[in-house]
Amino acid sequence: SWRAIMATLAQAFSDAKITAPMLSECAIGLGLSGANNLIWKNEFYLRNPGFKKIIVDTDGFTTLLGAHNGSPGVIVAVGTGSVGMVLKKSGERQDVSGWGFPSGDEASGAWLGLRAASLTQKSLDGRRASTPLSIAVQNYCGKTPEAFLTWLGEAKQNAFATLAPLVFQSAESDADALKLLQKAGLEIAIMANTLDPKAELPLSICGRLGEALIPHLPDSLKSRNQAAIGDSTMGALHLIAQNLK
């Protein structure tokens, strides 16, 4: 993580043609996947390359801060994984999902891909008819059972997430693909309603996949959704600014 962060900072200062300051003069706010794991978070702090101050939180929380400009609100962020989070008016925060692949991260790219693979397995061995989705998955992963099994044996979260676009591409001609997207929309609704059951706070569905799933949300949730004010990067700036006060 630190290598990626330092390389990104170096590139940013270079692109902006600004001389990079001494790390000992800098504070940095970071939204990182896995920051809710205290062991990983503490080790990350211990490996500080020299920053004067570091504030680390989850990427879900920085997404939340960015989406609502630091104010109370709700987000459901959907990409390779998924998480829902609320910042209440009391300052209390709560999150749902985000349990990780394969048991959690409902509605995510990996979640969709895993289910597309399962349908394809049934088509390959004759438990269901071939469909546009199963054919697309076979063309991507392997047309024979042996080839598909080899792909499955090496596939992890990111690999399954690469199947998600095939679900969207097949939805118009494949009822099962459409059902997967609708189920994903329902999972997003469950997250949002759990976090804000009275629908009192502004809501933003975030992430490229989350935005792609907006048409498949229940109408009641679709009408509540509003575009995020800023992204996770802006949220990280809010995070460090709040801690420098």
Side-chain angles (χ1 to χ4, degrees):
S1 294
W2 274 122
R3 283 195 294 269
I5 290 163
M6 298 308 294
T8 301
L9 286 173
Q11 187 65 54
F13 279 107
S14 175
D15 289 349
K17 296 181 172 55
I18 298 172
T19 300
M22 297 289 291
L23 295 186
S24 58
E25 299 173 343
C26 294
I28 187 169
L30 298 160
L32 302 176
S33 176
N36 52 340
N37 183 312
L38 289 179
I39 294 175
W40 295 350
K41 185 176 181 179
N42 287 336
E43 182 177 355
F44 184 83
Y45 275 121
L46 287 172
R47 292 174 181 266
N48 176 8
F51 286 96
K52 183 175 182 178
K53 188 175 184 65
I54 303 171
I55 300 297
V56 178
D57 213 303
T58 65
D59 50 347
F61 188 58
T62 52
T63 297
L64 173 62
L65 291 177
H68 302 296
N69 202 31
S71 298
V74 182
I75 60 107
V76 179
V78 187
T80 300
S82 67
V83 68
M85 189 167 284
V86 62
L87 178 62
K88 301 178 182 180
K89 293 178 182 178
S90 64
E92 178 188 359
R93 53 191 271 195
Q94 177 189 353
D95 58 83
V96 296
S97 191
W99 288 100
F101 178 84
S103 61
D105 287 357
E106 294 83 1
S108 69
W111 183 92
L112 282 170
L114 192 65
R115 281 149 183 78
S118 178
L119 290 173
T120 304
Q121 292 165 17
K122 293 178 180 179
S123 295
L124 272 168
D125 62 20
R127 284 178 286 165
R128 66 190 289 272
S130 292
T131 66
L133 175 57
S134 67
I135 292 169
V137 173
Q138 285 177 249
N139 287 337
Y140 183 85
C141 299
K143 295 183 179 180
T144 65
E146 295 78 14
F148 192 38
L149 194 60
T150 298
W151 187 89
L152 290 169
E154 299 175 353
K156 293 182 173 62
Q157 181 180 9
N158 288 339
F160 280 104
T162 64
L163 302 182
L166 303 180
V167 181
F168 284 91
Q169 293 164 15
S170 304
E172 288 189 9
S173 57
D174 190 323
D176 288 328
L178 181 59
K179 287 178 183 177
L180 283 180
L181 298 180
Q182 292 170 339
K183 173 62 174 171
L186 286 174
E187 292 288 354
I188 291 173
I190 290 170
M191 293 185 218
N193 293 334
T194 299
L195 293 167
D196 186 20
K198 295 182 179 180
E200 297 175 320
L201 297 169
L203 165 73
S204 294
I205 308 301
C206 303
R208 289 181 61 186
L209 188 58
E211 293 173 1
L213 284 166
I214 289 173
H216 303 285
L217 296 175
D219 289 341
S220 58
L221 196 69
K222 197 185 304 181
S223 63
R224 284 188 57 205
N225 179 58
Q226 59 186 49
I229 296 171
D231 61 11
S232 187
T233 305
M234 294 303 298
L237 292 173
H238 279 291
L239 182 68
I240 194 62
Q242 291 172 359
N243 282 275
L244 289 177
K245 291 178 181 178

